[in-house]
Amino acid sequence: MIKQVDNVDVLPGVGPKRLAALHELDIFTIEDLLGYFPFRYEDLGERLPSETLDGEKVTFKGVVSAPPVVTRFGKKSQTRFGLLIEHENIRVTFFNQPWLAQNVAIGQEVAVYGTYNAAKAALTGMKMINASADALDPIYPASKQVTAKTIRHLVELAWADVRGTMPDLVPAGIRQKYRLLDRNTQIEQMHFPTDMPAAKAARRSAAFEEFFIFQMRLQLLKLADQKFAGEGIAYDGQALKQFESGLPFTLTAAQQKVIAEILQDQQRPRHMNRLLQGDVGSGKTVVAAMAMYAVVTAGLQAAIMAPTEILAQQHALNLAQLFDRAGVQIRIELLTSGLRAAARRQILEDLATGEIDILVGTHALLQPDVAFHHLGLAVIDEQHRFGVNQRAALRENGVNPDILAMTATPIPRTLSITAYGEMDVSTIDQLPSGRKTIETKRLSHNQLDAALAFVKQQLDDGAQAYIVTPLIEESESLDVQNATAMYEAMQLELPQYTVGLLHGRLSNDEKKQLMADFKANRIQVLVATTVIEVGVDVPNASIMLILDADRFGLAQLHQLRGRVGRGSRQSYTLLVADPKTDYGTARLDAMVATTNGFILAQKDLELRGSGDILGTKQSGVPEFVVGDPIKDLTMMEIAQQEAIGLVSQAHWDTLPDNQALVAYLSRTMARYRHFD
């Protein structure tokens, strides 16, 4: 007797090769197989020719009225026979299936599924089906190694043994509350639906179960994280107030709100795992500075890790200036892979003895020889660029420090409850006062001369400009301007100005010098690739020209635009492109329509779909088999609320109604430990 927990190779026909192919589809057990649901159904319900439109796929059921005839053309063939349907006679043709002639005889009742040609009263057959078969034929996602037909066969074999024995994963109270099917009915109607309403009801229940299980895993991750008790940080509130009063600007209400949330977390004797999200230019750095200074006033150390050396250098400089202007004396050091051996050795010694208050760096902070005296807070900038294991390595360098992750890529609600569901989220949804809206214009390539004339006009007025290209070198496959050619062209076009070239193949020292020269206005025009996408802060740079803008993603375009508009000048972004797809046009139209990163993030999600954004490669979230977290967002939110409500109950995991769920989670949790 097959059981749900058995490995799928207990089924006949599943040898080592097929087993490996099923594993590629995330099918390991009988339970996984039965949860591998069809993504659509073909309607095999029979109709009369008079009820069928030309070109429609249809099932005709009738009596064979003319014997099958096979005509061969080399290796190809046609098999034809007549089919009498009530009083209508039609011709049925199958291509390259000559064996069907042996299974068809005059007077036999058959059902044929195919495409109808009304003018010729003919059906191009796709398959012969059982005359008493279900009206809906499930279509499964398949691979080259495992066909949909094989999956269907394996499902039939498994269900024949375990039918009616599958325990419910969603507790009865929740099922009754939202009118969900029990698990056995759900599985049966997903794989063998009696009709379309039954299939839809099963899909609704299966989607909720999938979302609920996903959210339960996130809540268990959160609970596991909180078992590692952090330490309540006894920061100096008066020192923080003095630091804030010494800042050269006033914090926005949104900044004050998220600072309060973070400080409250830091005071609690539990581990903080918080995501700070804010649009480009919303002032996340000063929020992080307040959190780090709170730790320093308690006698602990803080670290901030950035994805690139340029951004790490920027953070070190900005933090030093911020504390200096506020009259706060603390020691900040920068640790990157490009540091000389003697300087690195000294920093590591001082770090271990507690003489360094804040350490700024890249992934170099994760090296085994980096040992903190007492790390109280780890800030991770552009957190989506770091995996769980890297975050854990940084955390383990201290006495389980608090984690504050930051991202300038606004996260729509859909992603915040999937990709970051195990984290508490703080949002800065307000830009500093006085910031002028960046004007964004879309131009075609034949308007490039006009765009360059506008850039020159801005330069003559004392501004600086970025010119961004998608590639460093010529590419035969992509018809795009490259950075090197544009750099040479700009030197000829703008001889009175100094032009710089920045791309990823330069050494760290070269990049650092270029950015320093640009910031000091020794370079007026910076031709660059997307290496300047994140973190570069030059207040006098007020114009951004992006070539072949349709080659960039929407989030990337928004990040690039965020490099301007950081000073008092009116700033502009010019998007030069001739998009060849509706998707490319829609991205550019969205950029022109709004500068709100949260609106753009939602638009990006809608344009790209959950498969792209929520796929394993994009954000680390497993793709959903049944539910669509964009279209079914309300259902996802309800599943999250129910999961939170369940785990907040005392001894929830010992209650009889939850035992099947607990057993399932314990069996499958290991597969979903790491979401990125």
Side-chain angles (χ1 to χ4, degrees):
M1 177 77 176
I2 292 173
K3 299 185 181 67
Q4 68 180 80
V5 295
D6 287 343
N7 290 329
V8 74
D9 58 0
V10 300
L11 294 174
V14 180
K17 194 172 179 181
R18 182 163 286 172
L19 182 66
L22 289 168
H23 285 176
E24 287 293 313
L25 298 176
D26 262 352
I27 298 173
F28 295 87
T29 65
I30 296 298
E31 189 168 41
D32 295 334
L33 175 66
L34 294 175
Y36 194 81
F37 294 128
F39 66 92
R40 67 180 176 87
Y41 302 92
E42 282 184 353
D43 186 356
L44 302 183
E46 62 183 85
R47 272 178 285 164
L48 297 173
S50 58
E51 301 170 334
T52 307
L53 299 175
D54 184 55
E56 264 195 296
K57 287 186 173 64
V58 65
T59 298
F60 286 154
K61 186 176 176 182
V63 176
V64 178
S65 59
V69 176
V70 178
T71 309
R72 298 183 184 275
F73 311 92
K75 293 183 178 180
K76 298 182 179 180
S77 69
Q78 286 182 352
T79 303
R80 293 183 176 180
F81 58 88
L83 188 65
L84 181 64
I85 306 161
E86 291 193 352
H87 305 296
E88 296 183 75
N89 218 333
I90 68 163
R91 185 178 74 244
V92 177
T93 304
F94 277 93
F95 290 95
N96 304 317
Q97 298 184 54
W99 59 85
L100 288 177
Q102 299 172 19
N103 302 320
V104 175
I106 290 182
Q108 178 183 349
E109 186 178 61
V110 297
V112 184
Y113 179 73
T115 304
Y116 184 53
N117 184 324
K120 296 181 178 179
L123 185 75
T124 300
M126 296 167 69
K127 58 185 172 183
M128 304 283 291
I129 62 174
N130 187 331
S132 59
D134 293 336
L136 296 176
D137 188 27
I139 308 299
Y140 293 89
S143 67
K144 288 182 181 178
Q145 291 75 32
V146 187
T147 66
K149 186 176 180 181
T150 296
I151 292 169
R152 170 70 184 256
H153 175 63
L154 293 175
V155 166
E156 288 172 349
L157 287 176
W159 193 235
D161 254 31
V162 302
R163 187 172 187 262
T165 67
M166 301 294 286
D168 288 302
L169 302 182
V170 179
I174 297 175
R175 289 202 316 277
Q176 291 162 9
K177 186 176 180 181
Y178 300 109
R179 303 186 312 282
L180 302 172
L181 301 177
D182 65 83
R183 196 173 179 213
N184 285 288
T185 305
Q186 168 194 304
I187 291 173
E188 177 138 341
Q189 290 301 325
M190 282 295 286
H191 292 295
F192 314 103
T194 49
D195 53 33
M196 193 55 81
K200 286 181 178 177
R203 179 162 291 275
R204 176 177 177 270
S205 297
F208 184 90
E209 179 185 278
E210 184 176 32
F211 287 162
F212 178 71
I213 294 296
F214 178 79
Q215 291 297 337
M216 283 298 298
R217 288 185 180 122
L218 289 179
Q219 293 309 312
L220 292 183
L221 281 175
K222 197 169 184 175
L223 288 174
D225 198 40
Q226 289 174 1
K227 284 179 183 175
F228 296 100
E231 48 189 320
I233 294 171
Y235 61 80
D236 185 338
Q238 191 58 40
L240 282 179
K241 286 180 183 176
Q242 288 175 354
F243 172 52
E244 183 181 343
S245 65
L247 293 172
F249 47 78
T250 303
L251 295 177
T252 64
Q255 285 173 315
Q256 290 173 334
K257 175 177 69 74
V258 300
I259 287 170
E261 290 171 352
I262 293 165
L263 292 176
Q264 191 174 35
D265 260 6
Q266 289 178 301
Q267 277 186 315
R268 291 176 183 152
R270 71 169 179 81
H271 174 249
M272 176 173 79
N273 188 23
R274 186 169 285 277
L275 175 69
L276 172 62
Q277 64 164 337
D279 210 342
V280 176
S282 60
K284 293 181 296 300
T285 302
V286 71
V287 171
M290 290 284 282
M292 287 189 284
Y293 186 47
V295 165
V296 172
T297 66
L300 308 179
Q301 294 167 300
I304 178 165
M305 186 163 66
T308 66
E309 293 214 356
I310 286 181
L311 187 51
Q313 290 157 1
Q314 185 89 48
H315 275 313
L317 183 64
N318 286 347
L319 287 171
Q321 290 176 345
L322 209 55
F323 285 109
D324 189 50
R325 286 175 189 166
V328 174
Q329 298 301 310
I330 62 172
R331 184 174 168 191
I332 301 169
E333 291 290 352
L334 175 67
L335 182 68
T336 61
S337 57
L339 210 58
R340 294 183 185 278
R344 176 184 172 81
R345 195 161 46 246
Q346 188 62 56
I347 286 177
L348 293 182
E349 286 177 13
D350 294 349
L351 188 69
T353 57
E355 293 176 48
I356 294 173
D357 298 304
I358 296 176
L359 185 65
V360 185
T362 60
H363 60 277
L365 298 191
L366 300 176
Q367 298 300 320
D369 61 342
V370 179
F372 291 83
H373 178 67
H374 196 152
L375 180 62
L377 173 67
V379 179
I380 301 170
D381 197 13
E382 290 309 314
Q383 94 93 29
H384 61 282
R385 300 189 182 204
F386 291 98
V388 166
N389 293 334
Q390 289 172 302
R391 294 205 295 271
L394 184 61
R395 181 187 302 163
E396 288 157 10
N397 257 333
V399 185
N400 193 37
D402 288 339
I403 296 285
L404 178 64
M406 301 197 300
T407 180
T409 305
I411 302 164
R413 180 72 182 139
T414 306
L415 282 184
S416 70
I417 64 172
T418 53
Y420 305 104
E422 86 282 15
M423 304 179 83
D424 296 309
V425 180
S426 290
T427 302
I428 305 177
D429 53 7
Q430 178 183 12
L431 292 178
S433 60
R435 290 291 288 268
K436 294 179 180 175
T437 302
I438 302 167
E439 291 187 21
T440 305
K441 300 182 186 299
R442 179 181 153 194
L443 306 165
S444 61
H445 275 100
N446 61 20
Q447 294 174 293
L448 182 56
D449 286 345
L452 292 173
F454 183 73
V455 170
K456 185 177 182 302
Q457 178 188 326
Q458 294 296 306
L459 293 171
D460 291 344
D461 195 36
Q464 289 169 268
Y466 295 101
I467 298 178
V468 179
T469 67
L471 292 183
I472 297 170
E473 295 172 340
E474 289 286 359
S475 167
E476 292 178 0
S477 61
L478 294 174
D479 180 24
V480 293
Q481 295 279 359
N482 65 74
T484 306
M486 179 52 64
Y487 167 66
E488 292 166 356
M490 287 303 96
Q491 287 179 308
L492 295 173
E493 185 82 21
L494 304 166
Q496 67 273 53
Y497 296 107
T498 304
V499 182
L501 174 62
L502 178 67
H503 57 69
R505 295 187 184 179
L506 297 177
S507 70
N508 289 326
D509 286 343
E510 287 172 322
K511 291 177 192 171
K512 186 176 179 181
Q513 187 58 54
L514 267 168
M515 287 313 305
D517 288 343
F518 188 54
K519 192 158 189 173
N521 206 358
R522 290 187 290 270
I523 291 174
Q524 288 76 47
V525 180
L526 188 63
V527 177
T529 60
T530 54
V531 74
I532 55 105
E533 172 191 344
V534 175
V536 178
D537 188 4
V538 182
N540 193 50
S542 60
I543 185 158
M544 168 74 65
L545 173 64
I546 305 176
L547 297 161
D548 299 295
D550 57 321
R551 303 279 186 185
F552 297 91
L554 195 48
Q556 199 174 32
L557 286 172
H558 182 59
Q559 289 291 329
L560 287 168
R561 176 166 59 185
R563 297 310 101 216
V564 297
R566 293 170 132 4
S568 57
R569 289 178 177 275
Q570 175 60 55
S571 294
Y572 305 89
T573 296
L574 307 179
L575 307 172
V576 179
D578 295 311
K580 296 178 176 60
T581 65
D582 292 341
Y583 177 38
T585 301
R587 289 202 306 275
L588 299 183
D589 287 346
M591 281 290 293
V592 173
T594 183
T595 56
N596 186 309
F598 291 94
I599 294 174
L600 287 173
Q602 185 61 41
K603 183 67 176 176
D604 195 24
L605 201 59
E606 292 166 4
L607 288 173
R608 292 167 64 185
S610 64
D612 214 9
I613 290 204
L614 295 179
T616 315
K617 291 179 183 175
Q618 284 287 341
S619 65
V621 182
E623 289 191 43
F624 295 98
V625 177
V626 187
D628 182 332
I630 299 172
K631 294 177 183 173
D632 305 326
L633 176 58
T634 301
M635 183 186 286
M636 175 66 90
E637 290 181 315
I638 290 170
Q640 183 190 47
Q641 291 162 12
E642 293 295 346
I644 292 170
L646 183 61
V647 300
S648 64
Q649 293 176 22
H651 311 297
W652 70 272
D653 53 345
T654 63
L655 298 176
D657 197 28
N658 300 335
Q659 289 314 294
L661 172 63
V662 171
Y664 178 81
L665 289 170
S666 66
R667 284 198 305 273
T668 61
M669 196 68 185
R671 282 191 235 164
Y672 300 94
R673 271 199 308 268
H674 302 319
F675 290 96
D676 54 358

